[in-house]
Amino acid sequence: MNFMIRTIFTLVASITLSCIVKAQDVYIQAEFEKNECIILKWNYDPAIDSTIVRIASIISSDDKVWILYDPSQPVTRAQVESELIAGGVDPLNLVMMEGVAENPWIRDYGPVAGYYFDDAVKTRHFVDAVYDASQYPLADFLPLQLASEFGFNYDEMQLNFEPGNLLLDGIGRGFVGDRVLSENPGLSTNQVIQTLYTRLSLNEIIILPSIPECGGGAWSELSRLVKFIDSETVLVTQFPDEIPYSQQVNLLADTLSKMYNDVGRQFVVVRIPASPFGNDQYAQSNDGIIRSYTSSLIFNNKILIPSYGHANDQLALTIYKSQFPGYDIYQVPAQVLADEHGSLYRLAVNVPQENLFRIRHSKIT
């Protein structure tokens, strides 16, 4: 075991901590639980907005889609709405709302959604973490605006953190990339975990190494490498063995495979190869491009998986079909998103249905 592998193993072992909750007043919802609508941002960038149209057209066939638009732009609301409808978005399920923010990745600066319980009163709930105010000063206003628009409970979390770097298993566990530690240098690891644990009311917070060498930009999103698809099954990205960081990712997969969820079921890890770019190249540093299939978007009975014009697209589709029998699965071109260090997952915020419906049990197979 070389020095890098020993370092990663030590990191996982030292910061995999847990906290037990006896009574909760907040429930944060996993992506694969039942949702009422999805929120997307119009970006006034044709390359990215073509993907927004595609996502909205898929979701709006059955559910509501909220599109945030900037009224100060020369392109009017009516023009944006017309482009969406021309692209197949159902006008009956389309809601346009003013909302100003500076980048497409709304999951990173948007709210973490769930439910808030106060005695007999229940309301849906938005938790708002601190985003990069120096680079994106308007981003932190959006969750409060959305909470007001929806009439949801609102709570600030005084922690520098991107919700796109939070993954949930749906029955009490949160998995976070270790970037959250470097973003909060004034806090100890225990203080970071305690803040996440109390403000999100999870049973356990597990911090995992983000492995920045595999690309994806400064955010080092955990979703580039990991995708929880139900309460006991997790997809993990796979790289060719000759790629230097492949052993680190394999160790991450092995770590997850040895964990158990809250109902005592061991996590099942399913590997899914990444797609190379250019002439079969993979990233060599944090600034490189990663074309991952774990950065998909789940919404009710629909799965939107990225495609990159590579042979691995078909393999990824086959793997998703095997894991989601009975679901409608769509491939959405995501080359442009990857080039911008983004993903389908980070383009959207899932808004839960009015009533919480969660059953804690082993997976029915």
Side-chain angles (χ1 to χ4, degrees):
M1 184 181 293
N2 63 31
F3 174 76
M4 180 59 72
I5 297 301
R6 289 199 305 271
T7 301
I8 294 299
F9 180 81
T10 302
L11 177 63
V12 174
S14 64
I15 62 180
T16 300
L17 304 177
S18 64
C19 302
I20 304 301
V21 178
K22 293 184 178 179
Q24 301 182 34
D25 59 4
V26 172
Y27 286 90
I28 298 301
Q29 177 153 313
E31 181 192 7
F32 50 78
E33 296 186 85
K34 181 67 175 177
N35 293 279
E36 179 179 292
C37 68
I38 200 167
I39 305 173
L40 303 165
K41 178 183 177 291
W42 194 258
N43 300 284
Y44 305 90
D45 178 335
I48 294 178
D49 287 333
S50 64
T51 306
I52 296 296
V53 172
R54 177 64 176 148
I55 295 172
S57 66
I58 292 169
I59 302 300
S60 69
S61 62
D62 296 295
D63 297 285
K64 293 286 185 184
V65 175
W66 288 61
I67 301 290
L68 302 176
Y69 71 95
D70 184 349
S72 69
Q73 293 286 339
V75 178
T76 67
R77 164 184 168 156
Q79 289 173 307
V80 173
E81 192 169 359
S82 177
E83 185 172 341
L84 286 159
I85 293 171
V89 177
D90 186 342
L92 298 178
N93 278 332
L94 175 62
V95 180
M96 304 293 294
M97 183 176 67
E98 292 185 12
V100 180
E102 298 94 339
N103 76 43
W105 321 121
I106 187 173
R107 194 179 295 271
D108 283 342
Y109 54 82
V112 182
Y115 299 88
Y116 177 75
F117 297 86
D118 183 10
D119 296 327
V121 179
K122 172 185 62 63
T123 182
R124 280 171 284 187
H125 180 71
F126 280 164
V127 178
D128 179 16
V130 178
Y131 195 60
D132 187 351
S134 62
Q135 188 174 1
Y136 303 108
L138 299 177
D140 264 335
F141 289 104
L142 187 62
L144 180 58
Q145 176 199 340
L146 292 173
S148 177
E149 186 77 27
F150 283 91
F152 290 0
N153 186 69
Y154 172 82
D155 183 28
E156 290 183 344
M157 178 167 60
Q158 295 302 314
L159 193 71
N160 290 305
F161 176 61
E162 300 88 21
N165 213 11
L166 170 69
L167 303 176
L168 304 170
D169 72 355
I171 55 173
R173 284 197 174 151
F175 296 79
V176 188
D178 59 10
R179 171 176 158 83
V180 70
L181 301 179
S182 61
E183 287 182 293
N184 296 276
L187 301 177
S188 68
T189 298
N190 281 338
Q191 287 173 319
V192 169
I193 289 178
Q194 185 68 21
T195 301
L196 290 166
Y197 151 69
T198 55
R199 304 314 287 271
L200 301 179
S201 291
L202 294 166
N203 296 341
E204 188 172 15
I205 298 292
I206 297 171
I207 299 182
L208 296 171
S210 56
I211 313 176
E213 294 82 5
C214 67
W219 289 279
S220 296
E221 299 282 350
L222 187 60
S223 58
R224 301 162 308 150
L225 302 174
V226 177
K227 181 78 170 184
F228 280 87
I229 60 176
D230 57 45
S231 62
E232 59 186 72
T233 311
V234 55
L235 298 179
V236 178
T237 300
Q238 188 169 35
F239 297 93
D241 290 341
E242 63 270 18
I243 301 300
Y245 45 78
S246 65
Q247 293 183 64
Q248 300 174 46
V249 182
N250 292 344
L251 179 60
L252 174 62
D254 184 62
T255 299
L256 289 166
S257 72
K258 294 174 181 175
M259 292 182 181
Y260 290 79
N261 68 15
D262 273 8
V263 293
R265 299 282 288 189
Q266 192 167 6
F267 286 123
V268 176
V269 172
V270 178
R271 303 303 298 272
I272 185 166
S275 172
F277 62 91
N279 186 23
D280 284 338
Q281 301 176 45
Y282 292 88
Q284 299 298 317
S285 71
N286 198 18
D287 293 330
I289 296 170
I290 180 171
R291 294 183 169 180
S292 164
Y293 296 101
T294 58
S295 54
S296 58
L297 180 62
I298 301 175
F299 190 88
N300 295 344
N301 66 321
K302 297 182 173 69
I303 316 294
L304 284 64
I305 63 174
S307 63
Y308 303 107
H310 187 271
N312 282 355
D313 289 352
Q314 184 57 48
L315 177 58
L317 179 61
T318 299
I319 292 171
Y320 269 90
K321 284 183 175 179
S322 70
Q323 296 299 318
F324 287 96
Y327 282 69
D328 297 325
I329 300 178
Y330 304 83
Q331 291 181 295
V332 178
Q335 298 96 317
V336 170
L337 305 182
D339 292 345
E340 296 290 332
H341 298 320
S343 68
L344 292 176
Y345 178 71
R346 293 172 60 205
L347 280 176
V349 169
N350 298 49
V351 178
Q353 64 179 347
E354 182 177 359
N355 294 304
L356 172 66
F357 185 75
R358 174 181 285 171
I359 301 175
R360 294 167 60 87
H361 62 80
S362 298
K363 181 178 179 180
I364 298 172
T365 56

